[in-house]
């Protein structure tokens, strides 16, 4: 017996309160040793090692499988690569099964052979969902959990796509440890990976993330798989963001934006501007997520504080960055926030790390402090330095183009701007200091 960290799979002979590998607290659980031992020694072959020359290797490019869900295809880098092994993680109820049911339904309609393996939901439940989503139901369903026998069956079925919902529920009886434990997950994943590669079946595996750490998170799996996708978002808002954090066949940090509706997940490109409300005290900026520009809104509320230590609260924005911007506004622009509570909120449940949002956050703070509205149809792009200067940002042309496309009329941008020759109809206002921006709009 040994203890395994349920988050990262670290093995220890005694119980530990804190995992030395991943730093998780109270994550150790006792499990049987995981290795499946080879039945006899003769399996270890004495064959010489084959050394290959890359230039001699012939391969044929297999066409990728497009799902028709535009945002998913984008995140994958242009559809599924045959034989790829994909992990999708996310909080319970966020919509993983919904997304995969849609994928299964759409591809089944195109005539592909799909196997949906689910121990979490019954065949009736899955069928009901497929019908509710108005998709084809030519999908094969397996409700079993014993993976080794399932794999044997799958070898005769020969599907094009296998969905395993979820990896925590399948198990190998020879391991003796309970389903969902780290050793089970690792061995099951290994088996599935071999199946995906040998049979060239796109295999998508769902992994739950739990806070309690009792069920293994997908961390252990991330090393094994080709692609790691995370589905995230706030359940209340209906926005879902699909993020590729690892992708052997395409760009990482590409995001797909969906809206959860009664007809399942609808790609953002088919919806209206999700992150813009058009309210007059909201400042608009443009972030680059992966390769795509997204227009996002920030709203601020500055209100007289009755606390000894006024609040600085930010939703979707780094609170340290917020304090920094407030300090710059106080010191360099002589605004007084010292007796004010500050609340900043990014629309749509997005979390912003792009520094180009600085200018928009700063002007929205000033707007709320002075109780003066921001100009209409105006976008603010620029990082703010500690002395209040506006620093250039990358991909400015892409951002301006997106703003123009969405009907914006004016753009405040950094002065040191390497804008290539353009024919934008946008009025571009280069500024060197944050003070200049404020003087122009208030
Ligand atoms: P689900 O895909 O079951 O989540 P997960 O597999 O990640 O745990 O999603 C469940 C939620 O999605 C549930 O609260 C209902 C909602 N939902 C819709 O809003 N519209 C739909 O068409 C479907 C199928 C689900
Ligand atoms: Mg589910």
């Amino acid at each position: 017996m040994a203890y395994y960290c349920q988050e990262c799979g670290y093995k220890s002979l005694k119980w530990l309160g804190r995992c030395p590998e991943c730093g998780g607290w109270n994550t150790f659980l006792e499990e049987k040793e995981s290795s499946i031992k080879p039945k006899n020694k003769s399996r270890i072959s004495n064959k010489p090692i084959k050394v290959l020359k890359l230039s001699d290797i012939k391969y044929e490019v297999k066409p990728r499988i497009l799902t028709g869900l535009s945002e998913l295809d984008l995140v994958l880098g242009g559809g599924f690569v045959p034989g790829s092994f994909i992990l999708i993680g996310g909080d319970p109820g966020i919509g993983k099964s919904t997304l995969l049911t849609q994928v299964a339904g759409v591809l089944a309609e195109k005539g592909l052979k799909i196997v949906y393996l689910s121990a979490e939901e019954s065949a009736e439940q899955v069928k009901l969902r497929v019908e509710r989503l108005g998709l084809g139901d030519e999908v094969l369903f397996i409700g079993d959990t014993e993976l080794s026998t399932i794999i044997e069956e799958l070898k005769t079925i020969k599907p094009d796509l296998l969905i395993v919902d979820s990896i925590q529920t399948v198990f190998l009886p020879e391991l003796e440890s309970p389903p969902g434990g780290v050793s089970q997950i690792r061995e099951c994943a290994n088996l599935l990976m071999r199946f995906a590669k040998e049979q060239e079946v796109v295999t998508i595996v769902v992994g739950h993330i739990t806070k309690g750490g009792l069920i293994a998170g997908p961390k252990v799996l991330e090393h094994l798989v080709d692609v790691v996708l995370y589905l995230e978002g706030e359940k209340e808002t209906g926005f879902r963001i699909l993020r590729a954090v690892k992708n052997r066949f395409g760009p990482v940090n590409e995001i797909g934006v969906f809206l959860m509706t009664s007809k399942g997940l609808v790609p953002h490109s088919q919806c209206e501007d999700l992150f813009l409300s058009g309210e007059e005290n909201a400042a608009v900026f443009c972030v680059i997520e992966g390769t795509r520009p997204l227009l996002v809104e920030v709203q601020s509320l500055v209100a007289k504080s009755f606390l000894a230590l006024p609040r600085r609260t930010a939703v979707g924005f780094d609170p340290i960055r917020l304090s920094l911007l407030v300090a710059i506004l106080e010191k360099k622009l002589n605004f007084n926030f010292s007796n004010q509570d500050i609340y900043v909120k990014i629309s749509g449940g997005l979390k912003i790390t792009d520094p180009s949002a600085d200018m928009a956050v700063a002007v929205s703070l000033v707007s709320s402090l002075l109780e003066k509205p921001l100009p209409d149809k105006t976008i603010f792009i620029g990082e703010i330095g500690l002395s209040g200067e506006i620093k250039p940002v990358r991909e400015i042309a892409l951002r301006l183009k997106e703003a123009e496309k969405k009907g914006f009329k004016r753009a405040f941008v950094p002065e040191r701007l390497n804008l290539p020759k353009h024919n934008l109809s946008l009025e571009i206002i280069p500024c060197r200091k944050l003070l200049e921006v404020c003087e122009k709009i208030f």
Side-chain angles (χ1 to χ4, degrees), residues 65 82-83 111-115 157-162 200-203:
I65 303 169
L112 270 70
K113 205 184 243 185
I114 318 286
V115 173
I157 298 176
K158 294 196 188 307
D160 298 297
L161 179 85
L162 167 68
E200 294 223 314
V201 176
V202 178
T203 303

Side-chain angles (χ1 to χ4, degrees), residues 75 228 243-248 250-255 289-291:
V75 170
V228 181
R243 201 179 284 276
V245 292
K246 169 179 176 179
N247 191 350
R248 286 185 182 149
V252 285
N253 290 329
E254 196 69 85
I255 68 163
E289 286 279 3
T291 57

Side-chain angles (χ1 to χ4, degrees), residues 96-97 120-121 165 208:
K96 300 180 294 297
S97 306
E120 297 194 347
E121 290 169 294
D165 189 2
H208 292 294

Side-chain angles (χ1 to χ4, degrees), residues 97 101 114-118 126 129 139-142 163 165:
S97 306
T101 316
I114 318 286
V115 173
Y116 196 103
L117 169 62
S118 174
V126 175
R129 191 163 56 219
V139 176
L140 302 171
F141 181 88
I142 298 178
I163 294 169
D165 189 2

Side-chain angles (χ1 to χ4, degrees), residues 171-409:
F171 75 107
L172 296 167
E174 52 270 40
L175 280 186
E176 289 176 29
S177 57
V182 175
S183 14
Q184 281 284 3
I185 288 183
R186 192 169 28 215
E187 294 306 329
C188 289
N190 267 317
L191 199 63
L192 282 167
M193 184 181 62
R194 245 172 296 147
F195 170 73
K197 300 292 164 201
E198 283 167 10
Q199 310 284 319
E200 294 223 314
V201 176
V202 178
T203 303
I204 312 176
V205 168
V206 174
H208 292 294
I209 314 174
T210 55
K211 300 247 159 60
L214 268 179
I215 307 175
K219 284 273 184 289
V220 193
L221 297 169
E222 290 185 4
H223 303 287
L224 271 180
V225 301
D226 298 316
V227 180
V228 181
L229 303 175
Y230 273 95
L231 190 60
E232 50 193 41
E234 282 164 47
K235 275 186 205 144
E236 296 73 27
T237 61
F239 297 123
R240 296 291 183 273
I241 290 166
L242 185 69
R243 201 179 284 276
V245 292
K246 169 179 176 179
N247 191 350
R248 286 185 182 149
F249 314 115
V252 285
N253 290 329
E254 196 69 85
I255 68 163
V257 184
F258 295 91
L259 192 62
M260 179 63 97
T261 67
S262 57
K263 282 257 164 272
L265 290 160
V266 179
H268 162 62
S269 34
Q270 294 167 20
C271 326
E272 288 301 298
D273 294 328
L274 292 175
F275 303 111
L276 299 181
S277 67
E279 283 177 53
E280 65 173 17
N281 63 342
V284 179
F285 57 98
C286 184
V287 291
I288 306 283
E289 286 279 3
T291 57
R292 70 195 293 177
L294 269 186
L295 293 184
V296 185
E297 238 174 37
V298 55
Q299 281 184 302
S300 300
L301 180 65
V302 178
K304 189 170 170 12
S305 177
F306 297 96
L307 301 168
L309 209 63
R311 273 177 206 283
R312 268 93 180 95
T313 309
V315 180
F317 191 72
D318 180 9
I320 297 173
R321 234 185 151 84
L322 173 62
S323 302
L324 223 99
L325 288 173
V326 171
I328 294 166
L329 286 171
E330 290 197 319
K331 175 96 182 168
K332 299 290 171 188
L333 285 84
N334 289 325
F335 288 114
N336 184 9
F337 287 93
S338 61
N339 54 354
Q340 306 283 345
D341 283 335
I342 297 174
Y343 306 91
V344 169
K345 185 175 171 294
I346 305 288
S347 59
L350 272 185
K351 291 187 180 58
I352 300 298
T353 49
D354 191 332
S356 74
D358 284 358
M359 199 206 290
V361 175
V363 295
S364 82
L365 286 170
V366 177
S367 158
S368 182
L369 179 75
L370 302 178
E371 292 189 23
K372 287 188 180 168
L374 287 163
D376 208 22
K377 295 280 167 213
T378 305
I379 182 163
F380 302 91
I381 304 168
E383 180 180 351
I384 313 273
L386 288 187
S387 61
E389 83 277 13
I390 299 168
K391 295 184 174 176
V393 298
R394 68 185 177 98
E395 306 274 20
I396 188 88
L398 193 63
R399 299 180 205 241
L400 291 172
K401 199 156 186 124
E402 178 71 11
E404 184 195 34
K405 211 164 77 190
K406 294 283 157 71
F408 280 77
K409 296 275 176 271

Side-chain angles (χ1 to χ4, degrees), residues 116-169:
Y116 196 103
L117 169 62
S118 174
E120 297 194 347
E121 290 169 294
S122 65
E124 289 80 21
Q125 275 175 303
V126 175
K127 160 118 184 163
L128 219 71
R129 191 163 56 219
V130 170
E131 275 185 354
R132 202 151 66 83
L133 296 172
L135 296 162
D137 55 1
E138 294 299 312
V139 176
L140 302 171
F141 181 88
I142 298 178
D144 254 304
T145 51
E146 216 188 289
L147 196 61
S148 31
T149 43
I150 294 172
I151 296 267
E152 287 312 310
E153 185 63 33
L154 286 173
K155 280 179 183 164
T156 57
I157 298 176
K158 294 196 188 307
D160 298 297
L161 179 85
L162 167 68
I163 294 169
V164 182
D165 189 2
S166 65
I167 187 82
Q168 273 90 2
T169 49

